């Protein structure tokens, strides 16, 4: 029945009362309009229904809209009013009356372009044919901890890395992250933004873009997106991310375009233009994107400047966190601030990464001790330690670790850091020291942690020096550059050691040695290109070119490299682990959780754990799948202070905890809801109150005088109606609350007294009760 | 809504706002002009100061000569300098819930409030405000504590005695309230009560009020505050600047639509143009140095000094001053210079862009690197070895009563080659110099106050359009020394409400609405009726829950079904539990139709009588009388409940319920 009414109302949508509610032109206009369309994207079919799911906040339902809605709620008959809220919520079953309130639909599309299967195949093929000898980065400043080779259950839609998520919340469209895939060299490396809109401008469609941190798998496609596809709306990120992101983009661009000679890539100018569209945000700053959409950044740990974002429209909100720091409560993280923290914001949805979903890892301090022990032992026996790193993040942390260790142990062996971007990276840490932990912040005036005493710049000639040394070299996966070069030199000596502090993508030397391979095929072409790049760097000086020749000879003839040095793996990566995610859920108390960025199996485990412990819905959409979450918001209303105060004052016992029943009139006019006292409502509408009064004659047999009868009645009522105010007035009448009782003698019968009980309609129940009570007569005992 | 005004100093305000059951202190400025009445604290024994004659009353009595000394016709208290605290008696300060700090100059009284009044709340301030505020306090405590003074004068404070003293001591207010400086443990305790916030961060206070700091453009981390509920908005504007110096520009847009705007911290030197003053500063400095003299710049360790150093950075090469050493002497000099470089997020756009390169945002980093600027914690130690003349010295305190500046005044005061340049506007330079008279040294007054001037204020007010403006009384009249300058006062409509120290203002506004949430289940049960085109009504009977100042309406619990089988024992069990709620009625009853309806329902003997105001309907058989008037109906009947209910329902059919 109710459903039927709803349907009827929806069909005749125009007839509803004047769009009371949040109806208005302010949202959804121009966004998401147009015909429904379906498009195949990123391996999965994704239904875009612009009318109902992507926009149209609170617009009066048209007939066309109604048709679309029926798709949304196919089971209309069983749907209760609450579920239909977004489309035009029924306030009551009065025919034709609808209340429009802010809609409740929150939609998330995890639109990552690269399905696990595809990227896996692509990488393997590339490797076999030797087509992609320099698969990813060369000196990219990035921890590549989330490349696809890391995960890969067959057919798993859930994947690691390369985030690009579209969220539609209460009619606002927000893109979370804009990542690039480093495993492709063609246009598959960028997300297919035509998926968002095919003809329209992205700017019209998206309200804003939010970047969580500077890793390229989260911001790498940004210049392509804003400059080549075209987006002029706001892009939000924190200050450190805004500072570091263009450096990484430019570096990657140089490798792709200048070194590899690729075309159809963004230019330096595009990076600059893109960054002009970036709005830097403070932590905890509430940024009003427009009148309704607001975002707020929270500290997330992970890397310098990484942030969680709360996206809020009206009373609905989503929290997005890519990589929260795992030590939510243990302050063991060396570089970054204490821990990620978020207030109890109770979002409708929490989107979290789950890279390390099942690992609840051992204490970080243990790993650090282990790391120092290994380095120390190797140096003691005269060996050389190679630590391949990416320039920002873990590198600084390990440097501080070694620096303090060297200081404490008074060690003399040199520590080197390959130069270039590293110094720059250290500089960023210096300038954004407020983003680092309390200890570093407190002492930075006396001693800046990023000015190292023991760690010196590396020159490539040092690699051949005799004696022990420790070298940090980029990149972190031993796939190219200086780290690979040093590795070749040192690999043959069993006294030496290589420590891999992060993940390695399949196909890289790092990955091979970590998986136990000890004989490496060094392919000729790779060496040639490697030597060419050397040529760029060192071919100018006389000494350099001499060295170059020896290198070349070496390289060409050692096609097979035997790895005798020790290979160690230490995971210091600061992604969220299960504990971190659980802690975050405990803090934020979301109503729904959505997991991205992880392996299917591990995510499944975490999903169960979350559902068990917190009893919230947990989603883990496959690539390209759209998750729709219904919310059921309460309606904010203005209540007149007079009514509120009256209602809170009423009640004989001022019991704060006891809920109070209140009565008021809701006036709905011009999109506003006001709750006022009925008297005020009448007054505002210019209506007069019509008083309905009852006076009942109750006959009582009593021979006594009138005033004595009255006294008996009074005593009786007083005894029965303990919670009411019963008063005996001087004029001989009795009041019970506002009900008046008077006694008169019966004109004919002296033995009968007539009680006149008079009350208004508002006291109906009590009045009716009193008459029935008095009708039963007075108890004899009271006389 | 009430405003308690605890400070009389317009640029060092301390007000308490009572708003919606919260008590919010706005700033806690410390009036340090009281120190001008004291003798300077020299770092090394000063023969001149110690030989000053004691002050003798007109009648020749000398009982005050230990406490008061005379120097060039002025009388000074020879004691540890004391500060004039905000009022502590006007209201119970332990009831203050939160303190909002607008900038680091306006938090100097914080330890007195948080440590001595029973304060248990939270202090909110931005990170640079806290860090630099700490530096200012450290410097203050350090410069007073390192020169221990045995004597503490109190006799002169006696009201009878004070009356006899010459001005300005005679006119000093609340001298009994003057207090010595706090200590470092107190500073630390006070600062530990601060919670750091970012610009545009919305902070909920007890669910009743939301406060938000906004960039005010005056100093690193300086903020104005918005204090608002759903319906009322109070803006607190304190120490704002529209000039482009180093801090983030002022956020004006967010101040719009305020019901009340409290305006404090305007420029203290409304007639001086800061840009012109900087130029004058540079040229005077260059001239003195070229003539072989030294330049002394009494200043605070943070703030304008960054801008001065930046100007000098651009200026020294062109002025041929590259070889002149610049010394910055303060126990917190190094910290101040270092801290300035790490607050990229709080800086103006140009400086932010530099950080992205990455380069230090302030050029003083380069001055330090090239050894042009050197900083020392004090004149002792390294400084005495490195010290070369002629030179430029930046040091505190601007009151010239304590800190390393006292030493340089004694050292350089006798030579006319040297110059002291006053840039801080907080103290009258003539008063500051009084205990050093006679002085051969040149004195230049270049006050640089970047805070809003009256022209900017009137522009600002026009733009943000507050309903009411509240400001210190000093801003409602021209300055006493320039009474003809009627342009040097706030001019707005309606005229501003002014306050003075120890006054309580009742702010003009009336709260009428509050936010309440209707739960979805309840909303489902509502029945809206369209009363007039575009206006619908629904009667709401619901349970009101109030928690943390948030109100929620829920469906009333269903009445428990009385067990039918059990017989009630006592009548009293039947007493209705909660007051049943019946709607109001409206409309009128057309008698003819009503009679027809009655007849339709089986009443045959209906008789209608006309009266002056309406009609009386008589049901003779039932001995029932129904008086019907325009806006009332009265049913008078015997105690026949079924009949009454039947009649009631028939009447209700004609009426609308609310």
């Amino acid at each position: 029945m109710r459903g039927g009414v709803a349907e009827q109302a929806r069909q005749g949508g125009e007839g509803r009362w004047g769009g009371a509610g949040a109806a208005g032109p302010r949202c959804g206009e121009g966004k998401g309009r147009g015909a429904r369309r379906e498009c195949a994207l990123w391996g999965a079919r994704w239904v875009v229904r612009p009318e109902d799911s992507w926009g149209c906040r609170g617009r009066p339902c048209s007939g066309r809209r109604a048709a679309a809605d029926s798709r949304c709620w196919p089971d209309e008959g069983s749907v209760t009013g609450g579920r239909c809220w977004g489309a035009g919520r029924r306030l009551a079953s009065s025919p034709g009356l609808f209340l429009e309130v802010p809609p409740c639909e929150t939609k998330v599309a995890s639109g990552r372009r690269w399905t696990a299967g595809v990227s896996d195949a692509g990488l393997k093929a590339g490797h076999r044919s030797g087509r992609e000898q320099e698969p990813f980065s060369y000196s990219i400043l990035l921890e590549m901890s989330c490349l696809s080779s890391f995960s890969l259950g067959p057919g798993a839609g859930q994947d690691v890395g390369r985030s690009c998520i579209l969220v539609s919340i209460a009619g606002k469209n927000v893109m979370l992250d804009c990542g690039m895939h480093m495993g492709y060299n063609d246009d598959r490396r960028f997300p297919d933004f035509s998926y968002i809109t095919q003809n329209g401008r992205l700017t019209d469609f998206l309200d804003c873009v939010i970047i969580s941190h500077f890793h390229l798998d989260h911001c790498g496609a940004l210049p392509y997106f804003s400059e080549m596809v075209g987006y002029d709306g706001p892009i939000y990120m924190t200050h450190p991310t805004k500072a570091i992101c263009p450096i990484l983009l430019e570096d990657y661009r140089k490798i792709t375009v200048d070194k590899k000679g690729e075309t159809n890539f963004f230019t330096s100018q595009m990076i600059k233009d893109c960054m002009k569209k970036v709005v830097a945000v403070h932590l905890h700053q509430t940024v009003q994107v427009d009148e309704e959409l607001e975002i707020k950044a929270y500290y997330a740990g992970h890397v310098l400047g990484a942030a969680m974002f709360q996206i809020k429209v009206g009373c609905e909100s989503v929290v997005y966190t890519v990589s929260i720091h795992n030590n939510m409560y243990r302050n063991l993280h060396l570089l970054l601030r204490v821990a990620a923290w978020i207030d109890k914001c109770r979002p409708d949805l929490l989107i979290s990464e789950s890279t390390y979903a099942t690992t609840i890892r051992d204490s970080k301090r243990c790993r650090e001790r282990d790391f120092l022990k290994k380095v120390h032992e190797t140096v003691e026996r005269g060996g050389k330690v190679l630590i391949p790193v990416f320039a920002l993040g873990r590198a600084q942390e390990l440097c501080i670790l070694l620096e303090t260790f060297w200081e404490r142990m008074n060690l003399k062996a040199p520590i080197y850091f390959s130069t270039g971007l590293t110094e720059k990276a250290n500089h960023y840490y210096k300038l954004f020291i407020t983003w680092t932990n309390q200890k570093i912040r407190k002492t930075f005036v006396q001693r800046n942690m990023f000015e190292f005493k023991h760690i010196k710049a590396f020159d490539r000639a040092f690699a051949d020096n005799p004696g022990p040394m420790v070298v940090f070299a980029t990149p972190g996966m031993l796939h190219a550059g200086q780290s690979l070069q040093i590795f070749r030199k040192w690999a043959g000596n069993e006294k030496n050691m290589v420590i891999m502090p992060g993940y390695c993508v399949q196909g890289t030397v790092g990955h091979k040695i970590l998986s136990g391979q000890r004989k490496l095929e060094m392919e000729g072409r790779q060496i040639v290109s490697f030597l060419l790049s050397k040529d760029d760097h060192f071919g100018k000086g006389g000494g350099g070119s001499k060295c170059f020749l020896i290198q070349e000879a070496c390289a060409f003839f050692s096609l097979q490299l035997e790895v005798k040095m020790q290979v160690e793996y230490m995971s210091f990566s600061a992604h969220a682990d299960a504990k971190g995610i659980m802690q975050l859920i405990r803090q934020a108390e979301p109503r729904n959780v959505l997991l991205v960025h992880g392996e299917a199996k591990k995510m499944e485990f975490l999903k169960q754990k979350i559902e068990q412990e917190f009893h919230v819905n947990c989603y883990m959409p496959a690539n390209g799948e759209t998750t729709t979450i219904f919310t059921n918001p309460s309606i904010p209303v203005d209540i007149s202070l007079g009514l509120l105060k009256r209602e809170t004052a009423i009640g004989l016992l001022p019991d704060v905890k006891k809920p109070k029943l209140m009565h008021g009139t809701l006036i709905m006019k011009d999109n506003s809801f006001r709750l006022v006292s009925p008297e005020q409502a009448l007054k505002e509408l210019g209506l007069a109150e019509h008083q309905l009064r009852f006076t009942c004659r109750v006959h009582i047999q009593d021979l006594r005088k009138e005033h004595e009868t009255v006294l008996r009645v009074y005593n009786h009522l007083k005894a029965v109606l303990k919670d009411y105010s019963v008063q005996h007035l001087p004029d001989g009448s009795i009041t019970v609350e506002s009900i008046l009782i008077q006694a008169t003698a019966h004109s004919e019968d002296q033995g009968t007294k007539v009680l006149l009980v008079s009350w208004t309609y508002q006291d109906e129940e009590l009045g009716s009760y009193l008459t029935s009570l008095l009708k039963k007569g007075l108890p004899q005992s009271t006389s | 809504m009430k405003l308690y005004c605890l400070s009389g100093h317009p640029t060092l305000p301390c007000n308490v706002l009572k708003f919606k059951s919260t008590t919010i202190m706005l700033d806690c400025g410390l009036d340090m002009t009281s120190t001008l009445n004291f003798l300077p604290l020299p770092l090394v024994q000063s023969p001149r100061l110690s030989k000053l004659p004691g002050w003798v009353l007109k009648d020749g009595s000398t009982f005050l000569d230990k406490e008061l000394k005379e120097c060039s016709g002025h009388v000074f208290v020879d004691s540890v300098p004391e500060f004039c605290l905000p009022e502590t008696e006007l209201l119970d300060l332990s009831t203050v819930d939160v303190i909002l700090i607008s900038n680091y100059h306006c938090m100097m009284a914080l330890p007195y409030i948080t440590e001595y009044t029973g304060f248990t709340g939270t202090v909110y301030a931005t990170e640079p405000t806290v860090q630099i505020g700490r530096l200012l306090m450290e410097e203050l405590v350090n410069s007073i504590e390192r020169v221990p003074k045995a004597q503490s004068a109190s006799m002169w404070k006696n009201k009878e005695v004070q009356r006899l003293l010459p001005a300005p001591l005679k006119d000093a207010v609340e001298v009994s309230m003057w207090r010595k400086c706090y200590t470092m443990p107190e500073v630390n305790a006070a600062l530990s009560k601060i919670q750091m916030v970012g610009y545009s961060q919305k902070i909920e206070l007890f669910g009743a009020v939301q406060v938000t700091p906004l960039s005010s453009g005056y100093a690193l981390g300086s903020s104005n505050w918005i204090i608002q509920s759903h319906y009322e908005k109070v803006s607190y504007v304190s120490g704002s600047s529209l000039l482009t110096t180093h801090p983030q520009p002022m956020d004006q847009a967010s101040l719009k639509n305020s019901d009340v705007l409290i305006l404090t911290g305007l420029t203290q030197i409304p007639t001086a143009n800061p840009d012109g003053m900087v130029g004058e500063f540079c040229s005077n400095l260059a001239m003195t140095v070229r003539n072989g003299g030294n330049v002394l710049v009494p200043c605070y360790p943070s703030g304008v000094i960054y801008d001065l150093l930046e100007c000098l950075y651009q200026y020294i090469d062109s002025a041929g001053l590259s070889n002149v050493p610049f010394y910055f002497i303060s126990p917190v000099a190094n910290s101040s210079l270092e801290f300035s470089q790490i607050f990229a997020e709080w800086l103006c756009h140009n400086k932010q862009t530099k950080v992205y390169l990455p380069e230090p945002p302030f050029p003083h980093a380069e001055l330090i690197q090239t050894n042009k600027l050197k900083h020392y914690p004090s004149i002792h130690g390294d400084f005495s070895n490195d010290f070369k003349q002629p030179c430029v010295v930046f040091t505190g305190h601007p009151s010239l009563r304590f800190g390393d500046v006292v030493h340089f005044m004694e050292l350089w005061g006798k030579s006319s080659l040297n110059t002291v340049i006053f840039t801080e506007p907080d103290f009258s330079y003539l008063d500051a110099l009084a205990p050093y008279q006679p002085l051969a040294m040149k004195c230049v007054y270049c006050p640089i106050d970047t805070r809003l001037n009256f022209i900017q204020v009137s522009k600002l007010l026009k733009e943000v359009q507050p309903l009411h403006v509240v400001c210190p009384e000093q801003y409602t009249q021209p300055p006493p020394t320039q009474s003809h300058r009627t342009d040097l006062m706030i001019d707005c409509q309606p005229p501003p409400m002014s306050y003075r120290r120890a006054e309580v203002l009742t702010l003009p506004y009336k709260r009428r609405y509050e936010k309440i949430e209707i739960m979805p289940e309840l909303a489902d049960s509502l029945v809206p009726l369209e009363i007039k085109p575009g206006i619908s009504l629904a009667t709401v009977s619901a349970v009101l829950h109030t928690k943390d100042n948030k109100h929620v309406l829920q469906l009333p619990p269903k009445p428990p079904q009385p067990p039918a089988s059990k017989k009630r024992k006592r009548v009293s069990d039947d007493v209705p539990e909660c007051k049943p709620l019946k709607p109001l009625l409206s409309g009128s009853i057309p008698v003819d139709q009503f009679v027809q309806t009655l007849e339709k329902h089986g009443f045959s003997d209906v008789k209608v009588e006309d009266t002056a105001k309406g009609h009386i309907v008589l049901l003779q058989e039932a001995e029932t009388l129904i008086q019907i008037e325009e806006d009332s109906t009265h049913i008078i009947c015997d105690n026949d409940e079924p009949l009454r209910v039947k009649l009631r329902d028939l009447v209700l059919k004609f009426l609308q319920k609310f």
Side-chain angles (χ1 to χ4, degrees), chain A residues 482-523:
Chain A
Q482 206 157 34
S483 61
L484 183 61
Q485 184 191 348
I486 299 167
F487 174 75
R488 286 163 176 282
K489 288 196 181 194
W490 295 355
N493 190 335
E494 64 275 3
K495 276 206 291 190
N496 297 342
M497 179 183 280
V498 58
I499 299 179
M500 310 293 299
Y503 300 103
C504 292
V505 170
Q506 211 163 33
T508 58
V509 173
H511 184 265
K512 283 180 199 162
I513 58 169
L514 278 183
S515 50
Q517 212 173 318
R518 287 296 174 264
K519 287 205 166 73
L520 298 176
E521 297 290 332
M522 291 291 163
E523 291 171 44

Side-chain angles (χ1 to χ4, degrees), chain A residues 91-92 286 428 435 634-635 637-639 641 660 662 664 666 668 674 690-691 693 695 697 724 762 764 768, chain B residues 200 231 356 512-514 516-517 523-524 526 536 538 540 542 544 576 583 585 623 633-635 641 648:
Chain A
L91 250 189
T286 305
Y428 279 117
W435 285 76
S634 43
I635 306 156
V637 162
D638 300 344
I639 184 170
L641 212 60
K660 288 147 197 137
M662 71 163 285
L666 188 63
M668 289 160 273
R674 282 182 306 125
H690 189 103
Q691 202 183 56
R693 180 166 275 280
T695 301
R697 294 183 291 264
Y724 290 82
Q762 280 68 38
E764 173 73 0
S768 163
Chain B
S200 307
Y231 300 93
Y356 295 159
R512 297 179 61 191
Y513 284 100
E514 182 61 271
I516 197 165
E517 288 200 345
D524 275 347
L526 298 181
S536 298
V540 180
L544 172 69
L585 303 172
E623 284 188 50
T633 301
H634 194 167
I635 300 173
E641 188 69 5
R648 179 193 74 191

Side-chain angles (χ1 to χ4, degrees), chain B residues 174-250:
Chain B
E174 309 266 355
V175 287
S176 56
M177 299 279 293
W178 289 12
R179 289 282 173 276
K180 276 185 230 163
C181 189
Y182 34 74
T183 62
M184 237 13 238
E186 283 162 358
V187 170
N188 289 329
L191 293 178
S192 71
K193 297 182 171 82
I194 300 184
Q195 189 172 327
M196 290 196 258
V197 294
Y199 286 149
S200 307
Q201 179 176 349
K202 292 179 179 169
I203 304 141
E204 285 280 332
L205 302 183
F206 318 108
V209 178
Q210 198 180 54
V211 296
T212 312
L214 303 172
S215 175
S216 76
Y218 166 59
L220 269 175
S222 70
S223 28
N224 294 323
W225 290 84
I226 303 280
I227 301 131
Q228 62 186 340
S229 67
H230 288 290
Y231 300 93
E232 303 85 22
K233 179 170 173 180
V234 179
S235 296
Y236 175 60
V237 175
S238 165
S240 300
S241 174
L242 291 170
L243 295 179
T244 318
T245 55
H246 56 273
Q248 218 180 79
M250 179 180 176

Side-chain angles (χ1 to χ4, degrees), chain B residues 39 49-71 74-79 149 151 153-156 161 165-166 169:
Chain B
L39 273 189
L49 285 174
S50 51
K51 277 182 200 147
L52 284 178
W55 184 70
V56 184
L57 266 81
K58 275 185 196 135
D59 61 1
S61 53
T62 57
F63 68 99
L64 280 169
D65 67 346
K66 287 274 182 300
E67 290 198 350
L68 301 179
K69 303 282 176 186
E70 196 168 350
C71 175
H74 287 84
V75 177
F76 297 95
V77 183
D78 186 12
S79 167
K149 193 148 184 151
Q151 192 184 357
S154 58
M155 224 189 307
W156 71 274
V161 178
L165 304 180
L169 279 176

